[in-house]
Amino acid sequence: MIDPVNSPDHEQVPSAATIRALTRRLATEQRDGRVPSVVAGLVRDETTVWTGSRGRVNDATPTPHTQYRIGSITKTFIAVLVLRLRDEGLLQLSDPVEKHLPGTTFGDRTVAALLAHAGGLTAEPPGPWWERTQGTSWSELADRFSAETTPHRAGRRHHYSNLGFAALGEIVARIRGEDWLAALDREILVPLELTRTTAMPVAPHAQGWAVHPWADVLLPEPAHDGGAMGPAGQLWSTVTDMLRWSTFLGGDTAEVLHPDTLAEMSDPVVVEDGDGWRSGQGLGLQLLRHQGRRLVGHGGSMPGFLSTVWADRTEKSGVVFLANATSGIGGALAIGLLDILVEQEPRVPAEWRPQATQPDPELLALTGEWYWGTAAYVLRLLPDGMLNLTPMGGRGRTSRFRAVDDGWIGLDGYYAGEHLRVVRRSDGTVSHLDLNTFIFARTPYDPTAPIPGDVDPGGWRGSATY
């Protein structure tokens, strides 16, 4: 007999009460926002645990496979394409735009600044409202640039720029020697099996609508090809594909992107909301602090469509919603659905088990107490073969380390990117740890270790010689 409480799939099946609460929240948002249709979904531990929909698309209930335009979520795909180029050594984030895209009025701004919306570029391109007009080529767009294209000094502030991502898409195209959409398909969509994510709508798909503010009537919104502005918001997708993208942003990157690169993209570069410090921007990803956790993802808005995707790495969960209205529904829906899942389906801690493989005796011998000066630390061997250095008293710098050819490299915290070396004596025994000049010894200020400044030969003393 299967024990439902201890079954590994138990957490993946929300209760009837949770499903009702999720459905009610979705229904309330659709009614109060007067949205023609909305679909949403939740994922936990890389498994879809709930999908729901309200409203109609072509007089039928939309499904998780119904396409909607995802707008600026497109930018997250462009960012991954750019970081893949960096990982391949084909560009650097510190490169000025001029190196890859000569002739613009913002050639001195860096690739990293554009990714983080910190390049000081104008939010929209010069010319008519690009979201409701047929797109042009990059050369035609660039002909309109002027001094007004860069209203802010680079790095001074967060200033969201659709134009910046159009430029990034053009950089991808020029380096790859193919349209950014072709690179996207080959490098991301096919490997992740995002079969319903396309540049233009493919049936079944929703029509974009504007809802009259004072009457329950609709006006169809156009859905043009954005041309050179496409990298800022061209794509169409489904809840099914976007839930897979949520798990990607949550860490399941498969072979598409190295996990360390995704972590780099998720680090805050600029604060978006001034003194609030609740929302910010990474490298192509929007960040949100919520109830002590950090969400990574992006919102999307195009005439006739609204969307959001978030990944919560702490909860190993994600949320998506797609709607076909110009306004009326917002990011609060996504956060609300995530909160219902967390509150009504709290995670059951995973069962502890010993690691399956035999530990390396030399690594096992490194575990235990180490001292940086008088500060006590504990070095632990993790099941995945990494090392974790943690202050014994709970206050101090914590970092994980992964093995590299010449020792260990820090992955997070203060020691991210720093090298840890195990220094041995002539007889092969371990003398100390050298963490980028910080000496960790087995005892406080071990006189046999190369402590900078040396250790007073008088040793430790009491108050009589204070």
Side-chain angles (χ1 to χ4, degrees):
M1 179 180 295
I2 297 176
D3 179 356
V5 174
N6 293 313
S7 167
D9 294 328
H10 172 67
E11 284 192 79
Q12 312 300 348
V13 182
S15 68
T18 299
I19 292 174
R20 180 175 178 81
L22 293 168
T23 302
R24 184 180 186 280
R25 178 61 187 261
L26 189 65
T28 300
E29 293 273 357
Q30 188 265 344
R31 180 200 63 190
D32 293 352
R34 298 189 306 130
V35 176
S37 75
V38 58
V39 291
L42 288 164
V43 64
R44 175 179 270 180
D45 293 333
E46 302 169 16
T47 300
T48 298
V49 296
W50 173 80
T51 60
S53 65
R54 301 293 289 185
R56 293 289 184 271
V57 171
N58 298 326
D59 204 32
T61 302
T63 76
H65 303 289
T66 303
Q67 271 193 339
Y68 291 73
R69 199 167 192 179
I70 61 173
S72 288
I73 296 175
T74 303
K75 293 180 174 70
T76 63
F77 290 91
I78 296 297
V80 170
L81 291 175
V82 171
L83 267 295
R84 282 175 56 89
L85 291 172
R86 192 285 307 272
D87 286 354
E88 293 175 30
L90 298 177
L91 63 70
Q92 297 297 320
L93 297 184
S94 58
D95 285 349
V97 170
E98 179 71 18
K99 179 176 180 179
H100 304 285
L101 200 61
T104 73
T105 57
F106 47 89
D108 60 329
R109 314 303 160 100
T110 66
V111 171
L114 266 56
L115 284 167
H117 295 287
L121 275 63
T122 183
E124 312 300 340
W129 184 10
W130 70 273
E131 293 178 341
R132 295 187 97 252
T133 54
Q134 187 67 33
T136 63
S137 68
W138 175 261
S139 61
E140 291 174 310
L141 181 65
D143 285 342
R144 306 175 192 163
F145 296 164
S146 67
E148 295 180 358
T149 308
T150 51
H152 305 289
R153 172 174 54 82
R156 175 174 177 259
R157 64 192 304 166
H158 173 271
H159 188 71
Y160 193 90
S161 177
N162 287 299
L163 177 57
F165 270 78
L168 290 169
E170 182 66 13
I171 289 173
V172 169
R174 294 196 181 191
I175 294 178
R176 289 300 190 199
E178 61 183 351
D179 186 88
W180 69 270
L181 286 164
L184 171 69
D185 188 64
R186 177 172 48 82
E187 298 181 33
I188 299 178
L189 301 185
V190 170
L192 296 181
E193 299 182 354
L194 303 182
T195 59
R196 291 280 291 150
T197 301
T198 57
M200 295 299 289
V202 177
H205 65 84
Q207 163 68 47
W209 298 103
V211 181
H212 194 284
W214 314 122
D216 294 333
V217 292
L218 306 175
L219 183 72
E221 292 272 26
H224 298 301
D225 184 335
M229 288 301 299
Q234 181 67 42
L235 295 179
W236 295 67
S237 192
T238 67
V239 161
T240 298
D241 277 13
M242 284 296 94
L243 286 174
R244 175 63 186 96
W245 191 238
S246 174
T247 65
F248 176 94
L249 298 177
D252 181 18
T253 58
E255 300 298 320
V256 170
L257 196 67
H258 195 284
D260 290 355
T261 300
L262 178 63
E264 181 183 2
M265 294 176 66
S266 304
D267 286 337
V269 178
V270 291
V271 174
E272 183 179 346
D273 57 344
D275 294 339
W277 287 61
R278 182 171 178 264
S279 61
Q281 184 74 41
L283 295 175
L285 299 179
Q286 292 178 333
L287 314 175
L288 182 67
R289 293 171 57 201
H290 179 66
Q291 296 184 354
R293 305 188 305 274
R294 179 168 59 181
L295 307 182
V296 299
H298 216 287
S301 172
M302 289 292 281
F305 294 96
L306 296 165
S307 58
T308 293
V309 57
W310 287 120
D312 183 337
R313 295 181 187 172
T314 303
E315 283 289 320
K316 295 184 179 179
S317 59
V319 64
V320 171
F321 87 79
L322 308 174
N324 63 332
T326 301
S327 60
I329 201 167
L333 168 60
I335 300 301
L337 294 174
L338 265 183
D339 285 347
I340 291 171
L341 182 67
V342 171
E343 293 165 6
Q344 299 199 194
E345 304 283 341
R347 298 186 66 89
V348 176
E351 182 180 273
W352 178 86
R353 294 182 181 180
Q355 68 179 54
T357 59
Q358 188 74 15
D360 183 335
E362 291 191 357
L363 290 183
L364 201 58
L366 291 178
T367 62
E369 295 182 37
W370 290 92
Y371 291 85
W372 175 53
T374 58
Y377 280 74
V378 174
L379 191 68
R380 291 180 171 86
L381 176 61
L382 301 178
D384 55 10
M386 295 188 191
L387 296 176
N388 192 39
L389 187 64
T390 308
M392 194 176 295
R395 297 179 61 185
R397 298 161 176 168
T398 297
S399 288
R400 294 173 304 138
F401 294 84
R402 185 181 67 236
V404 292
D405 291 340
D406 57 348
W408 301 79
I409 190 77
L411 298 183
D412 40 36
Y414 184 85
Y415 299 116
E418 307 288 358
H419 282 79
L420 171 68
R421 296 187 301 113
V422 179
V423 181
R424 298 182 181 275
R425 303 180 183 91
S426 59
D427 63 0
T429 60
V430 175
S431 168
H432 60 278
L433 306 178
D434 185 332
L435 180 48
N436 192 21
T437 75
F438 288 178
I439 303 300
F440 286 77
R442 282 297 192 181
T443 59
Y445 281 128
D446 181 355
T448 68
I451 304 297
D454 298 323
V455 177
D456 191 299
W460 300 93
R461 62 204 68 181
S463 61
T465 56
Y466 192 73

